[in-house]
Amino acid sequence: MKITRRDFVKTGAVLSGGLIANQVSPSKIFSGQNSGSPLIAVSTWGDTIKSGEKAYEYLNEGKNSLDALEAGIWIAENDPDNNSVGYGGLPDEDGIVTLDASVMDWNGNAGSVAALEGIKNPISVAKLVMQKTKHVMLAGDGAKKFALENGFKEENLLTEKSRKAWENWKRKNPHNPNRVDEHNHDTIGMLAIDKFNNLSGGVSTSGMGWKIHGRVGDSPVIGAAMFVDNEIGGAVATGNGEFVMRTVGSFLIVEKMRDGLTPQEACEFAIKRIYKKAKLDKDIQIGYLAINKKGEIGAYSLYDGFTYAVATSIPGSVIKSDFLLK
Ligand code: ASP
């Protein structure tokens, strides 16, 4: 069964505080591994488990963490049934699919794309921005031009299903354009550690369904939806990007880990910071996922329903995050 965020919202009660698939406790995740680097890929939302497993396959073949997470994130980006990432992602209020993504490697290099149109794999464009340019972020038409010049193909990212969903929304909201639906967005955020003990992070999303054309979320903003420091660890975010940006959540988590907090404590700190500082509608969900260089994992969200996938030498697990507002 494909586990989605919405399935969790429906079935959340049975899944309290623990594992959903492959009954492996997080503390046992590394027991089967050789000492040294904890080869691992963790990703936001349980339904990204296939992405994590692909990334792990790469890590196990000796590939680096950046290439591994790129390969993993492609699975989500190429999946027409994933309506919040890449191909099949929900469009903005004008019916246009615009994508945000970023990557960061173990040397502290970073690349991102914002509001990219017509290119299925923004994670790879972000990687190329990092590797081929002196810049960190390319946006809109410039990002697309750069992608096309570098061999990416232009494609229609609107599927029949996402076009119908948009038409349906448009019919119901003809005079209320700036009304995003809190249930129509998610991000794949992935952190991976390779055999060289190098950590990379990457995120990709189509952002909020029905957003204002040109809206950019937290995903391409380095330090907001994703931040990695190879000495310490990394963090990724999903949920309402405006709140994540205002508190630079992923950077905050890495800095709290630098101060000695565990990944779990650091994620809880960042969620509590949002709760303290922001005026939250009850519908607003934010989830953080973090890992340190020992391979210890933390996750925390505002509300019930956030899950994450862990792919390592034992079969991948889907784990339910703890949350603040019980
Ligand atoms: N953070 C993404 C954005 O605001 C959406 C999500 O992860 O739910 O664009």
Side-chain angles (χ1 to χ4, degrees):
M1 183 182 94
K2 196 168 158 159
I3 302 166
T4 67
R5 173 181 173 181
R6 275 149 289 279
D7 289 332
F8 280 110
V9 173
K10 277 188 240 133
T11 60
V14 254
L15 307 167
S16 83
L19 293 162
I20 291 158
N22 300 324
Q23 296 295 306
V24 181
S25 84
S27 62
K28 290 205 182 126
I29 277 167
F30 297 108
S31 60
Q33 302 214 20
N34 298 329
S35 57
S37 299
L39 291 190
I40 186 167
V42 293
S43 47
T44 52
W45 301 113
D47 63 351
T48 64
I49 187 74
K50 288 224 153 39
S51 291
E53 284 169 350
K54 173 54 83 181
Y56 179 73
E57 199 182 298
Y58 268 52
L59 296 172
N60 202 31
E61 286 165 6
K63 294 182 174 131
N64 72 50
S65 50
L66 183 67
D67 292 344
L69 69 83
E70 178 188 26
I73 288 176
W74 266 48
I75 293 194
E77 289 180 337
N78 292 345
D79 180 357
D81 292 327
N82 186 330
N83 71 359
S84 59
V85 180
Y87 177 58
L90 291 175
D92 60 23
E93 65 178 14
D94 297 341
I96 301 165
V97 181
T98 67
L99 305 176
D100 294 340
S102 65
V103 294
M104 200 162 175
D105 75 6
W106 52 91
N107 286 319
N109 298 312
S112 73
V113 287
L116 175 64
E117 292 176 29
I119 309 287
K120 212 183 213 172
N121 298 115
I123 196 75
S124 299
V125 187
K127 184 181 166 197
L128 219 59
V129 171
M130 177 178 90
Q131 291 177 332
K132 279 194 94 170
T133 78
K134 293 200 165 103
H135 307 306
V136 169
M137 187 191 294
L138 294 181
D141 288 350
K144 183 171 172 182
K145 180 168 171 271
F146 171 79
L148 295 176
E149 280 168 3
N150 282 283
F152 287 82
K153 248 191 6 234
E154 181 161 8
E155 291 172 75
N156 176 15
L157 302 182
L158 204 59
T159 57
E160 201 43 27
K161 198 167 139 198
S162 54
R163 189 180 54 76
K164 280 196 177 132
W166 172 70
E167 282 171 357
N168 200 20
W169 170 80
K170 204 67 187 152
R171 214 175 9 255
K172 287 188 188 147
N173 298 277
H175 307 299
N176 193 7
N178 186 18
R179 196 187 170 286
V180 294
D181 178 342
E182 270 305 323
H183 299 285
N184 276 327
H185 55 88
D186 279 336
T187 298
I188 178 167
M190 187 180 282
L191 298 159
I193 303 178
D194 60 30
K195 71 168 186 186
F196 312 106
N197 206 20
N198 281 332
L199 173 66
S200 297
V203 289
S204 180
T205 186
S206 51
M208 296 201 176
W210 335 135
K211 62 195 171 186
I212 295 176
H213 183 65
R215 179 263 186 187
V216 171
D218 54 328
S219 296
V221 180
I222 303 301
M226 186 270 303
F227 193 74
V228 158
D229 182 324
N230 204 39
E231 281 173 34
I232 308 295
V236 285
T238 182
N240 189 302
E242 277 68 11
F243 290 89
V244 175
M245 279 190 274
R246 287 183 195 119
T247 51
V248 204
S250 294
F251 181 72
L252 179 63
I253 290 170
V254 173
E255 290 311 298
K256 292 316 281 186
M257 291 197 286
R258 194 188 307 277
D259 289 346
L261 264 55
T262 64
Q264 183 61 36
E265 289 164 347
C267 289
E268 291 179 19
F269 183 92
I271 286 290
K272 285 174 187 160
R273 169 70 59 85
I274 289 179
Y275 186 64
K276 193 171 145 203
K277 295 274 172 194
K279 285 193 202 83
L280 292 166
D281 294 345
K282 80 170 179 350
D283 246 3
I284 289 185
Q285 171 68 311
I286 292 139
Y288 286 117
L289 175 63
I291 193 166
N292 65 15
K293 286 301 293 285
K294 290 186 237 162
E296 292 167 340
I297 303 165
Y300 205 58
S301 58
L302 262 174
Y303 289 99
D304 193 9
F306 176 46
T307 60
Y308 60 99
V310 179
T312 181
S313 57
I314 49 173
S317 306
V318 175
I319 299 173
K320 187 175 188 304
S321 164
D322 194 8
F323 56 98
L324 181 65
L325 300 169
K326 301 208 161 84

